Amino acid sequence: ISPVNRVLKALGLPPVTSGVPELASITGSRFDVNHYRWDNYPEGILIIEKTRCTNKKTFKSYDCIAALTIRHRY
């Protein structure tokens, strides 16, 4: 969760306090691979989509955050 918290801190948002399983392991849907959801996030429902990025200078690949969404709880 430390990479997630670094991004949240840079955006001025509260940190997450624990990790969550990949959403696909809960839903069984292949569309939820690389998606993570925190239902108890203080600002709403936090959804993060992970992807693979490549440093174009070194050609090294690493995990990175492709999208971060906060949905309002109703």
Side-chain angles (χ1 to χ4, degrees):
I1 66 170
S2 62
V4 172
N5 281 334
R6 280 195 301 269
V7 171
L8 293 171
K9 182 178 181 180
L11 295 171
L13 294 167
V16 293
T17 57
S18 63
V20 293
E22 184 179 52
L23 199 52
S25 69
I26 298 167
T27 65
S29 172
R30 64 185 179 100
F31 295 108
D32 290 332
V33 171
N34 292 324
H35 287 81
Y36 300 85
R37 183 177 70 202
W38 284 262
D39 291 326
N40 62 348
Y41 189 65
E43 305 294 316
I45 299 169
L46 173 65
I47 302 168
I48 290 184
E49 180 182 353
K50 179 181 81 170
T51 192
R52 292 293 292 170
C53 293
T54 303
N55 182 318
K56 292 181 182 180
K57 291 182 180 180
T58 64
F59 299 105
K60 291 186 179 181
S61 294
Y62 54 95
D63 288 331
C64 60
I65 294 175
L68 183 148
T69 305
I70 298 176
R71 292 190 183 155
H72 181 71
R73 253 187 245 102
Y74 297 100

